Amino acid sequence: MKTLAETIDLVAAFDASPNPYMLLDRDLRFAGMNQAYLDVTQRTREELIGVHVMDVFGAAEDGPDEGASQRLEGSFRRVLETGESDHLALLHYPIRTIGDHGEAVFDDRYWSCTHTPIKNEKGEVTHILQHTSDVSELVRARPTQDGPRSALDEMLGGGVFRRAMEVEADNQRLETERRQLSDVLLNAPGFVAVLSGPDHVIQFCNEACYRLVNHRDILGSSVQDALPELGKQGHLDFLNDVYETGEPVMGRQRAFTLQHSPDGPADVRYIDFAYQPIRDENAQVIGVFVQGHDVTDVVLAAERQKLMIDELNHRVKNTLATVQSIAMQTARTHEDPRSFAEAFEARLMALSHTHDLLTKSHWEGADLRSVLEHETKAHGIGRLTLNGPLIGLSPARALSLGMVFHELATNAAKYGALAHGDGRVTVDWCVVNHQSPQLKIVWTEVAGAPVREPERRGFGTRLIERNVRHDLRGTVEMSYTGHGLRAEFTLPLETEA
C-alpha cells in the first residue's frame, strides 16, 4: 500500500520527467499528461482533459496525414484488445505550434511511440500510458550522400534510421495483413471464433457467430460462462481435447442445443465445425480456432425429403395394391376382354380423378363435396343434388370414398336411376351423435320408371362394402326401392384410413 507521500512523489516525478507522457482512458479520452507533453504539443491541461485524443490529433489540413492518424489510433486499439504494449518505431506526425505572429503552423516531426496498458487488480486495461520520443533531429541528421559512410555515421545516422524504418515498414505490413485477415473473418459466411487459454476465453467472434448465439454478449468470457449449455452436451470436452493434445476435432451435422434467452426455449441447430489448435512461436498450444457452418436448413430439408419419399413409397404400394385388387375382382366378373378393359379403365380413371384432386391440395386432403363432384360429373351435374356441410377428408379416406362414389354412379348409370332420362340422384350428408361424432351419408336414387333389384351381387357392391367396412371402419346398408338404390353409410368422423 503506497503512502500519500509516495503517491505525491510519483506524481511529481511523472510531471517533472523531460520525456513527454500522457494518459488515456478506455474511451481514448485524455485522463492526464505531464508538463513535457504540454510543452511539446503547446496545449494546456484544460484544452485536453476529457477530450478524445483523435479530436485533437486526428488528420487535418496541413497536419498529419490520414494514414498516420489511423496508425496512431490503431495502436491504441491494439493495447485495449490485447492487453499488451504496442510500439510505433517511427511515426511521421507534424505537431501544431504557434508561429511568430500568433498563427497556427505545423512543425514537421518524427516520433517513436510506446503505448503501455495500465491494468486494475482484475487484469483489465483501464488506461493507456503513451511515452513518445522526438527523433526528428536523428532523422534529419541521417547521411544523404551515396558514398561510403563512416562507422559513426552508420551508428548515429543512417544505420539507426534505416533499422527504424525497416521495423516500422514491417509493423505497417503486419498491421495491413492483420486488418485484411480481420475483415475476411468478420465477413465470412461461416461462424469464426478465437478462444484463448485453457479456459477458452472468447477473444474474437464474427457476425455469423453472434447470429448463432442470438447476439449474446460473449466477448471476453470463457465458453463455460458465456455458453453453459454447451458444456452439458460434450462440446467443452472437445475444446479441452484440442487444447491438451494439439489435435484438431471436427464434426459434421452435429446437434447444438443453444439457449437463446434465460427463460426461453432451447433451439436445436445442426452444425459442421472444426476446432483447431493455435500455437505460439514455441509450438505450444495457446488457444483454439473455431470455424464452421450452420447447416440446420440442409438437415431439415433432408429429413423432409426422406419423409416425402417414405410417404410416396407408402402411397405407391397402397395404390398398386388397390389396382391389383380392382384388376382381379374385375376379371372375375367380366369374361369378355372388351368389357373387362372398359370396366377396369373406368375404375382406374376414378382412382386417378381423386389423385388429381389430392395433388391440388399437396396431399393434405380434400372435402367431401369435391370428391362427389369429381366422381359423378360424367353423368351430368344437373341430375345429381348434393346437400351437406363442409367435411374435410384425409387423403386415404378421400381415395376410398372416391371409389365408392364411382361404383354407385356407375351402377346407377347402368341399372338405376341414371339409366333413365328423367332419373335423379340425391346425396345428403351430416354429422350425427356429437358425443362420438359420426359422418352419415345417404345416397338416394329416384327413377322415372321402375328399377329392378339385381339378381346377384357384383364386384361393385363387394368393393363398396369392403371399402366402407375395412378401409373406412364404418357400416353400410343398401336397399332397393321401386325407383332405385338407397345406400346409407355411417363412418367415424375422426378415424383416419
Side-chain angles (χ1 to χ4, degrees), residues 319 322-323 326 330 341-358 363 370-379 395-411 459 463 467:
T319 301
T322 301
V323 171
I326 291 173
T330 305
E342 292 175 354
F344 182 59
E345 182 179 3
R347 285 165 178 152
L348 288 184
M349 289 303 298
L351 191 64
S352 174
H353 289 159
T354 310
H355 269 261
D356 290 342
L357 186 63
L358 291 170
W363 279 80
S370 296
V371 174
L372 275 164
E373 289 174 349
H374 267 70
E375 298 303 336
T376 59
K377 65 181 179 181
H379 304 286
R397 176 169 287 190
L399 288 171
S400 292
L401 282 175
M403 293 298 297
V404 168
F405 295 141
H406 168 76
E407 293 301 326
L408 290 172
T410 300
N411 288 340
F459 169 64
L463 184 146
N467 275 16

Short mmCIF file of all heavy atoms in Angstrom, two decimals, residues 319 322-323 326 330 341-358 363 370-379 395-411 459 463 467:
data_model
loop_
_atom_site.label_atom_id
_atom_site.label_comp_id
_atom_site.label_asym_id
_atom_site.label_seq_id
_atom_site.Cartn_x
_atom_site.Cartn_y
_atom_site.Cartn_z
N THR A 319 -51.49 -47.81 -53.66
CA THR A 319 -52.17 -47.64 -54.95
C THR A 319 -52.03 -48.90 -55.80
O THR A 319 -53.00 -49.35 -56.44
CB THR A 319 -51.59 -46.43 -55.70
OG1 THR A 319 -51.75 -45.26 -54.90
CG2 THR A 319 -52.28 -46.23 -57.04
N THR A 322 -54.32 -51.49 -54.54
CA THR A 322 -55.70 -51.20 -54.95
C THR A 322 -55.92 -51.57 -56.41
O THR A 322 -56.94 -52.18 -56.78
CB THR A 322 -55.99 -49.71 -54.74
OG1 THR A 322 -55.82 -49.37 -53.37
CG2 THR A 322 -57.42 -49.37 -55.15
N VAL A 323 -54.96 -51.20 -57.26
CA VAL A 323 -55.07 -51.54 -58.69
C VAL A 323 -55.09 -53.05 -58.88
O VAL A 323 -55.88 -53.58 -59.69
CB VAL A 323 -53.89 -50.91 -59.47
CG1 VAL A 323 -53.87 -51.42 -60.91
CG2 VAL A 323 -54.01 -49.38 -59.46
N ILE A 326 -58.50 -54.29 -57.87
CA ILE A 326 -59.51 -53.92 -58.88
C ILE A 326 -59.38 -54.84 -60.10
O ILE A 326 -60.38 -55.33 -60.65
CB ILE A 326 -59.34 -52.45 -59.29
CG1 ILE A 326 -59.73 -51.52 -58.13
CG2 ILE A 326 -60.19 -52.14 -60.52
CD1 ILE A 326 -59.42 -50.07 -58.40
N THR A 330 -62.35 -57.34 -61.08
CA THR A 330 -62.99 -57.03 -62.36
C THR A 330 -62.90 -58.23 -63.31
O THR A 330 -63.84 -58.53 -64.05
CB THR A 330 -62.35 -55.80 -63.01
OG1 THR A 330 -62.38 -54.70 -62.09
CG2 THR A 330 -63.08 -55.39 -64.28
N ALA A 341 -61.83 -54.62 -70.07
CA ALA A 341 -60.99 -53.44 -70.30
C ALA A 341 -61.76 -52.17 -69.99
O ALA A 341 -61.23 -51.23 -69.37
CB ALA A 341 -60.49 -53.43 -71.74
N GLU A 342 -63.04 -52.11 -70.41
CA GLU A 342 -63.83 -50.92 -70.17
C GLU A 342 -64.06 -50.70 -68.68
O GLU A 342 -63.91 -49.58 -68.16
CB GLU A 342 -65.18 -51.03 -70.89
CG GLU A 342 -65.05 -50.98 -72.42
CD GLU A 342 -66.39 -51.21 -73.12
OE1 GLU A 342 -67.36 -51.52 -72.40
OE2 GLU A 342 -66.45 -51.07 -74.35
N ALA A 343 -64.44 -51.76 -67.97
CA ALA A 343 -64.70 -51.62 -66.53
C ALA A 343 -63.43 -51.30 -65.77
O ALA A 343 -63.42 -50.45 -64.86
CB ALA A 343 -65.33 -52.91 -66.01
N PHE A 344 -62.33 -51.98 -66.13
CA PHE A 344 -61.05 -51.76 -65.43
C PHE A 344 -60.55 -50.32 -65.65
O PHE A 344 -60.11 -49.64 -64.72
CB PHE A 344 -60.03 -52.77 -65.95
CG PHE A 344 -58.69 -52.68 -65.26
CD1 PHE A 344 -58.59 -52.84 -63.89
CD2 PHE A 344 -57.53 -52.42 -65.99
CE1 PHE A 344 -57.37 -52.77 -63.25
CE2 PHE A 344 -56.30 -52.34 -65.36
CZ PHE A 344 -56.22 -52.51 -63.99
N GLU A 345 -60.67 -49.86 -66.91
CA GLU A 345 -60.22 -48.49 -67.21
C GLU A 345 -61.06 -47.46 -66.47
O GLU A 345 -60.54 -46.48 -65.94
CB GLU A 345 -60.30 -48.24 -68.71
CG GLU A 345 -59.81 -46.85 -69.11
CD GLU A 345 -59.89 -46.62 -70.61
OE1 GLU A 345 -60.37 -47.51 -71.34
OE2 GLU A 345 -59.46 -45.53 -71.05
N ALA A 346 -62.37 -47.69 -66.39
CA ALA A 346 -63.25 -46.75 -65.70
C ALA A 346 -62.88 -46.65 -64.22
O ALA A 346 -62.85 -45.55 -63.64
CB ALA A 346 -64.70 -47.18 -65.86
N ARG A 347 -62.58 -47.78 -63.61
CA ARG A 347 -62.23 -47.76 -62.18
C ARG A 347 -60.86 -47.11 -61.96
O ARG A 347 -60.66 -46.40 -60.96
CB ARG A 347 -62.27 -49.18 -61.63
CG ARG A 347 -63.71 -49.64 -61.43
CD ARG A 347 -63.85 -51.12 -61.23
NE ARG A 347 -65.26 -51.45 -61.00
CZ ARG A 347 -65.81 -52.62 -61.31
NH1 ARG A 347 -65.06 -53.57 -61.89
NH2 ARG A 347 -67.08 -52.85 -61.05
N LEU A 348 -59.93 -47.34 -62.88
CA LEU A 348 -58.64 -46.68 -62.76
C LEU A 348 -58.78 -45.16 -62.92
O LEU A 348 -58.12 -44.37 -62.23
CB LEU A 348 -57.65 -47.21 -63.80
CG LEU A 348 -57.10 -48.62 -63.58
CD1 LEU A 348 -56.06 -48.94 -64.65
CD2 LEU A 348 -56.48 -48.76 -62.20
N MET A 349 -59.67 -44.73 -63.83
CA MET A 349 -59.89 -43.31 -64.02
C MET A 349 -60.51 -42.68 -62.77
O MET A 349 -60.19 -41.55 -62.40
CB MET A 349 -60.79 -43.06 -65.23
CG MET A 349 -60.12 -43.35 -66.56
SD MET A 349 -58.59 -42.40 -66.80
CE MET A 349 -59.23 -40.74 -66.78
N ALA A 350 -61.38 -43.43 -62.09
CA ALA A 350 -61.96 -42.93 -60.85
C ALA A 350 -60.87 -42.72 -59.80
O ALA A 350 -60.85 -41.70 -59.09
CB ALA A 350 -63.01 -43.90 -60.34
N LEU A 351 -59.98 -43.70 -59.73
CA LEU A 351 -58.85 -43.57 -58.79
C LEU A 351 -57.98 -42.37 -59.17
O LEU A 351 -57.53 -41.61 -58.32
CB LEU A 351 -58.04 -44.87 -58.83
CG LEU A 351 -56.98 -45.06 -57.75
CD1 LEU A 351 -57.61 -45.12 -56.37
CD2 LEU A 351 -56.18 -46.34 -58.02
N SER A 352 -57.76 -42.19 -60.48
CA SER A 352 -56.93 -41.10 -60.97
C SER A 352 -57.57 -39.74 -60.67
O SER A 352 -56.87 -38.78 -60.32
CB SER A 352 -56.71 -41.25 -62.47
OG SER A 352 -56.02 -40.14 -62.99
N HIS A 353 -58.90 -39.65 -60.80
CA HIS A 353 -59.58 -38.38 -60.53
C HIS A 353 -59.35 -37.93 -59.09
O HIS A 353 -59.09 -36.75 -58.83
CB HIS A 353 -61.08 -38.53 -60.78
CG HIS A 353 -61.42 -38.67 -62.23
ND1 HIS A 353 -62.61 -39.23 -62.68
CD2 HIS A 353 -60.72 -38.33 -63.35
CE1 HIS A 353 -62.62 -39.23 -64.00
NE2 HIS A 353 -61.49 -38.69 -64.43
N THR A 354 -59.46 -38.87 -58.18
CA THR A 354 -59.26 -38.50 -56.77
C THR A 354 -57.80 -38.14 -56.52
O THR A 354 -57.50 -37.25 -55.73
CB THR A 354 -59.70 -39.65 -55.85
OG1 THR A 354 -61.00 -40.10 -56.23
CG2 THR A 354 -59.73 -39.20 -54.41
N HIS A 355 -56.87 -38.85 -57.18
CA HIS A 355 -55.45 -38.50 -57.07
C HIS A 355 -55.21 -37.06 -57.54
O HIS A 355 -54.46 -36.30 -56.90
CB HIS A 355 -54.60 -39.47 -57.90
CG HIS A 355 -54.13 -40.66 -57.14
ND1 HIS A 355 -52.88 -40.76 -56.60
CD2 HIS A 355 -54.77 -41.82 -56.82
CE1 HIS A 355 -52.75 -41.91 -55.98
NE2 HIS A 355 -53.88 -42.59 -56.11
N ASP A 356 -55.84 -36.68 -58.65
CA ASP A 356 -55.69 -35.32 -59.16
C ASP A 356 -56.20 -34.29 -58.15
O ASP A 356 -55.59 -33.24 -57.93
CB ASP A 356 -56.46 -35.15 -60.48
CG ASP A 356 -55.80 -35.91 -61.62
OD1 ASP A 356 -54.61 -36.26 -61.49
OD2 ASP A 356 -56.48 -36.16 -62.63
N LEU A 357 -57.35 -34.61 -57.54
CA LEU A 357 -57.93 -33.73 -56.55
C LEU A 357 -56.99 -33.54 -55.36
O LEU A 357 -56.79 -32.43 -54.86
CB LEU A 357 -59.27 -34.28 -56.10
CG LEU A 357 -60.11 -33.41 -55.16
CD1 LEU A 357 -60.50 -32.12 -55.85
CD2 LEU A 357 -61.35 -34.18 -54.70
N LEU A 358 -56.38 -34.63 -54.91
CA LEU A 358 -55.47 -34.56 -53.77
C LEU A 358 -54.16 -33.86 -54.13
O LEU A 358 -53.56 -33.17 -53.29
CB LEU A 358 -55.17 -35.97 -53.25
CG LEU A 358 -56.35 -36.67 -52.57
CD1 LEU A 358 -56.02 -38.14 -52.32
CD2 LEU A 358 -56.70 -35.98 -51.25
N TRP A 363 -51.67 -33.15 -51.26
CA TRP A 363 -51.96 -34.36 -50.49
C TRP A 363 -52.21 -34.05 -49.02
O TRP A 363 -51.89 -34.84 -48.13
CB TRP A 363 -50.86 -35.40 -50.67
CG TRP A 363 -51.03 -36.17 -51.94
CD1 TRP A 363 -50.67 -35.75 -53.18
CD2 TRP A 363 -51.65 -37.44 -52.12
NE1 TRP A 363 -51.01 -36.69 -54.13
CE2 TRP A 363 -51.60 -37.75 -53.50
CE3 TRP A 363 -52.22 -38.36 -51.25
CZ2 TRP A 363 -52.13 -38.94 -54.02
CZ3 TRP A 363 -52.73 -39.55 -51.76
CH2 TRP A 363 -52.69 -39.83 -53.13
N SER A 370 -66.24 -32.03 -53.03
CA SER A 370 -65.36 -32.07 -54.20
C SER A 370 -65.18 -33.49 -54.71
O SER A 370 -65.15 -33.73 -55.91
CB SER A 370 -64.00 -31.46 -53.84
OG SER A 370 -64.12 -30.09 -53.52
N VAL A 371 -65.03 -34.45 -53.79
CA VAL A 371 -64.89 -35.86 -54.20
C VAL A 371 -66.14 -36.33 -54.92
O VAL A 371 -66.07 -36.98 -55.98
CB VAL A 371 -64.58 -36.74 -52.97
CG1 VAL A 371 -64.57 -38.22 -53.36
CG2 VAL A 371 -63.24 -36.35 -52.34
N LEU A 372 -67.31 -35.99 -54.38
CA LEU A 372 -68.57 -36.38 -55.03
C LEU A 372 -68.69 -35.78 -56.42
O LEU A 372 -69.08 -36.46 -57.38
CB LEU A 372 -69.75 -35.94 -54.17
CG LEU A 372 -70.17 -36.90 -53.05
CD1 LEU A 372 -71.06 -36.17 -52.06
CD2 LEU A 372 -70.89 -38.11 -53.64
N GLU A 373 -68.36 -34.49 -56.54
CA GLU A 373 -68.47 -33.83 -57.84
C GLU A 373 -67.53 -34.45 -58.86
O GLU A 373 -67.90 -34.63 -60.04
CB GLU A 373 -68.18 -32.33 -57.68
CG GLU A 373 -69.28 -31.58 -56.95
CD GLU A 373 -68.91 -30.13 -56.69
OE1 GLU A 373 -67.71 -29.79 -56.88
OE2 GLU A 373 -69.79 -29.34 -56.29
N HIS A 374 -66.30 -34.78 -58.46
CA HIS A 374 -65.33 -35.37 -59.38
C HIS A 374 -65.79 -36.73 -59.89
O HIS A 374 -65.59 -37.07 -61.06
CB HIS A 374 -63.97 -35.50 -58.69
CG HIS A 374 -63.06 -34.33 -58.93
ND1 HIS A 374 -63.30 -33.11 -58.37
CD2 HIS A 374 -61.94 -34.20 -59.68
CE1 HIS A 374 -62.34 -32.26 -58.75
NE2 HIS A 374 -61.51 -32.90 -59.55
N GLU A 375 -66.39 -37.54 -59.03
CA GLU A 375 -66.73 -38.91 -59.41
C GLU A 375 -68.08 -39.03 -60.10
O GLU A 375 -68.40 -40.08 -60.66
CB GLU A 375 -66.71 -39.81 -58.16
CG GLU A 375 -65.36 -39.91 -57.48
CD GLU A 375 -64.26 -40.39 -58.40
OE1 GLU A 375 -64.56 -41.08 -59.41
OE2 GLU A 375 -63.08 -40.09 -58.14
N THR A 376 -68.89 -37.97 -60.08
CA THR A 376 -70.23 -38.07 -60.68
C THR A 376 -70.46 -37.09 -61.83
O THR A 376 -71.51 -37.16 -62.49
CB THR A 376 -71.31 -37.82 -59.61
OG1 THR A 376 -71.13 -36.51 -59.04
CG2 THR A 376 -71.23 -38.87 -58.50
N LYS A 377 -69.48 -36.19 -62.10
CA LYS A 377 -69.73 -35.15 -63.10
C LYS A 377 -69.90 -35.74 -64.51
O LYS A 377 -70.55 -35.11 -65.36
CB LYS A 377 -68.62 -34.12 -63.09
CG LYS A 377 -67.25 -34.65 -63.51
CD LYS A 377 -66.21 -33.54 -63.44
CE LYS A 377 -64.82 -34.04 -63.84
NZ LYS A 377 -63.81 -32.96 -63.75
N ALA A 378 -69.38 -36.93 -64.76
CA ALA A 378 -69.52 -37.54 -66.09
C ALA A 378 -70.97 -37.89 -66.40
O ALA A 378 -71.34 -38.06 -67.57
CB ALA A 378 -68.65 -38.79 -66.18
N HIS A 379 -71.80 -37.96 -65.35
CA HIS A 379 -73.19 -38.36 -65.55
C HIS A 379 -74.13 -37.16 -65.58
O HIS A 379 -75.36 -37.34 -65.64
CB HIS A 379 -73.63 -39.33 -64.44
CG HIS A 379 -72.74 -40.53 -64.34
ND1 HIS A 379 -72.78 -41.56 -65.25
CD2 HIS A 379 -71.76 -40.85 -63.45
CE1 HIS A 379 -71.87 -42.47 -64.92
NE2 HIS A 379 -71.24 -42.06 -63.83
N PRO A 395 -56.33 -37.90 -47.06
CA PRO A 395 -56.06 -38.46 -48.39
C PRO A 395 -56.55 -39.90 -48.54
O PRO A 395 -57.17 -40.24 -49.56
CB PRO A 395 -54.53 -38.37 -48.49
CG PRO A 395 -54.16 -37.21 -47.64
CD PRO A 395 -55.11 -37.25 -46.49
N ALA A 396 -56.29 -40.75 -47.55
CA ALA A 396 -56.68 -42.15 -47.66
C ALA A 396 -58.20 -42.28 -47.70
O ALA A 396 -58.76 -43.07 -48.48
CB ALA A 396 -56.10 -42.96 -46.50
N ARG A 397 -58.89 -41.50 -46.87
CA ARG A 397 -60.36 -41.58 -46.84
C ARG A 397 -60.94 -41.02 -48.14
O ARG A 397 -61.94 -41.57 -48.67
CB ARG A 397 -60.89 -40.80 -45.64
CG ARG A 397 -62.40 -40.74 -45.59
CD ARG A 397 -62.90 -40.21 -44.28
NE ARG A 397 -62.73 -41.19 -43.22
CZ ARG A 397 -63.27 -41.07 -42.00
NH1 ARG A 397 -63.99 -40.01 -41.70
NH2 ARG A 397 -63.09 -42.01 -41.10
N ALA A 398 -60.34 -39.97 -48.69
CA ALA A 398 -60.82 -39.43 -49.96
C ALA A 398 -60.72 -40.46 -51.08
O ALA A 398 -61.62 -40.59 -51.91
CB ALA A 398 -60.03 -38.17 -50.32
N LEU A 399 -59.60 -41.21 -51.11
CA LEU A 399 -59.44 -42.25 -52.14
C LEU A 399 -60.49 -43.34 -52.01
O LEU A 399 -61.09 -43.79 -53.00
CB LEU A 399 -58.03 -42.85 -52.05
CG LEU A 399 -56.87 -41.96 -52.53
CD1 LEU A 399 -55.53 -42.60 -52.18
CD2 LEU A 399 -56.96 -41.71 -54.03
N SER A 400 -60.74 -43.79 -50.78
CA SER A 400 -61.71 -44.87 -50.57
C SER A 400 -63.12 -44.42 -50.93
O SER A 400 -63.86 -45.13 -51.63
CB SER A 400 -61.67 -45.34 -49.11
OG SER A 400 -60.45 -45.98 -48.83
N LEU A 401 -63.52 -43.22 -50.48
CA LEU A 401 -64.86 -42.74 -50.81
C LEU A 401 -64.98 -42.44 -52.29
O LEU A 401 -66.07 -42.59 -52.88
CB LEU A 401 -65.18 -41.50 -49.98
CG LEU A 401 -65.59 -41.76 -48.53
CD1 LEU A 401 -65.77 -40.45 -47.78
CD2 LEU A 401 -66.87 -42.59 -48.45
N GLY A 402 -63.89 -42.00 -52.92
CA GLY A 402 -63.92 -41.78 -54.36
C GLY A 402 -64.27 -43.04 -55.12
O GLY A 402 -65.09 -43.01 -56.06
N MET A 403 -63.68 -44.17 -54.73
CA MET A 403 -64.00 -45.44 -55.39
C MET A 403 -65.45 -45.85 -55.10
O MET A 403 -66.16 -46.36 -55.99
CB MET A 403 -63.06 -46.54 -54.88
CG MET A 403 -61.60 -46.34 -55.28
SD MET A 403 -61.37 -46.37 -57.09
CE MET A 403 -61.89 -48.04 -57.47
N VAL A 404 -65.91 -45.61 -53.87
CA VAL A 404 -67.30 -45.95 -53.52
C VAL A 404 -68.28 -45.16 -54.38
O VAL A 404 -69.23 -45.72 -54.98
CB VAL A 404 -67.55 -45.69 -52.02
CG1 VAL A 404 -69.05 -45.75 -51.71
CG2 VAL A 404 -66.78 -46.68 -51.17
N PHE A 405 -68.07 -43.83 -54.48
CA PHE A 405 -68.99 -43.00 -55.26
C PHE A 405 -68.92 -43.33 -56.74
O PHE A 405 -69.93 -43.25 -57.46
CB PHE A 405 -68.67 -41.52 -55.04
CG PHE A 405 -68.90 -41.06 -53.62
CD1 PHE A 405 -68.03 -40.16 -53.01
CD2 PHE A 405 -69.97 -41.55 -52.87
CE1 PHE A 405 -68.23 -39.75 -51.72
CE2 PHE A 405 -70.18 -41.15 -51.57
CZ PHE A 405 -69.31 -40.24 -50.97
N HIS A 406 -67.75 -43.72 -57.22
CA HIS A 406 -67.64 -44.13 -58.63
C HIS A 406 -68.49 -45.36 -58.89
O HIS A 406 -69.23 -45.41 -59.91
CB HIS A 406 -66.19 -44.42 -58.98
CG HIS A 406 -66.04 -45.12 -60.31
ND1 HIS A 406 -66.17 -44.47 -61.52
CD2 HIS A 406 -65.79 -46.43 -60.60
CE1 HIS A 406 -66.02 -45.34 -62.50
NE2 HIS A 406 -65.78 -46.54 -61.97
N GLU A 407 -68.42 -46.34 -57.99
CA GLU A 407 -69.21 -47.57 -58.20
C GLU A 407 -70.71 -47.26 -58.12
O GLU A 407 -71.50 -47.80 -58.90
CB GLU A 407 -68.83 -48.62 -57.15
CG GLU A 407 -67.41 -49.15 -57.30
CD GLU A 407 -67.15 -49.80 -58.65
OE1 GLU A 407 -68.07 -50.42 -59.22
OE2 GLU A 407 -66.01 -49.67 -59.15
N LEU A 408 -71.10 -46.41 -57.18
CA LEU A 408 -72.53 -46.07 -57.06
C LEU A 408 -73.02 -45.37 -58.32
O LEU A 408 -74.11 -45.68 -58.84
CB LEU A 408 -72.74 -45.16 -55.84
CG LEU A 408 -72.58 -45.83 -54.47
CD1 LEU A 408 -72.63 -44.78 -53.37
CD2 LEU A 408 -73.67 -46.89 -54.25
N ALA A 409 -72.21 -44.41 -58.82
CA ALA A 409 -72.61 -43.67 -60.02
C ALA A 409 -72.65 -44.59 -61.24
O ALA A 409 -73.55 -44.48 -62.09
CB ALA A 409 -71.67 -42.50 -60.25
N THR A 410 -71.67 -45.50 -61.35
CA THR A 410 -71.62 -46.42 -62.50
C THR A 410 -72.83 -47.35 -62.48
O THR A 410 -73.48 -47.58 -63.52
CB THR A 410 -70.32 -47.24 -62.46
OG1 THR A 410 -69.20 -46.34 -62.52
CG2 THR A 410 -70.25 -48.18 -63.64
N ASN A 411 -73.14 -47.91 -61.30
CA ASN A 411 -74.30 -48.80 -61.20
C ASN A 411 -75.61 -48.06 -61.50
O ASN A 411 -76.52 -48.60 -62.14
CB ASN A 411 -74.38 -49.42 -59.80
CG ASN A 411 -73.28 -50.46 -59.59
OD1 ASN A 411 -72.72 -50.98 -60.55
ND2 ASN A 411 -72.97 -50.74 -58.33
N PHE A 459 -69.17 -57.10 -58.46
CA PHE A 459 -67.91 -56.62 -57.88
C PHE A 459 -68.08 -55.24 -57.28
O PHE A 459 -67.51 -54.91 -56.23
CB PHE A 459 -66.81 -56.59 -58.95
CG PHE A 459 -65.57 -55.85 -58.50
CD1 PHE A 459 -64.80 -56.32 -57.44
CD2 PHE A 459 -65.18 -54.66 -59.13
CE1 PHE A 459 -63.67 -55.63 -57.03
CE2 PHE A 459 -64.06 -53.98 -58.71
CZ PHE A 459 -63.29 -54.47 -57.67
N LEU A 463 -66.96 -54.20 -53.62
CA LEU A 463 -65.94 -53.16 -53.42
C LEU A 463 -66.44 -52.10 -52.45
O LEU A 463 -65.70 -51.64 -51.56
CB LEU A 463 -65.56 -52.53 -54.76
CG LEU A 463 -64.42 -51.49 -54.72
CD1 LEU A 463 -63.60 -51.56 -56.01
CD2 LEU A 463 -64.94 -50.07 -54.55
N ASN A 467 -64.60 -51.43 -48.87
CA ASN A 467 -64.02 -50.12 -48.58
C ASN A 467 -64.62 -49.51 -47.32
O ASN A 467 -63.90 -48.93 -46.49
CB ASN A 467 -64.23 -49.17 -49.76
CG ASN A 467 -63.15 -49.34 -50.82
OD1 ASN A 467 -62.44 -50.33 -50.82
ND2 ASN A 467 -63.03 -48.37 -51.71
#
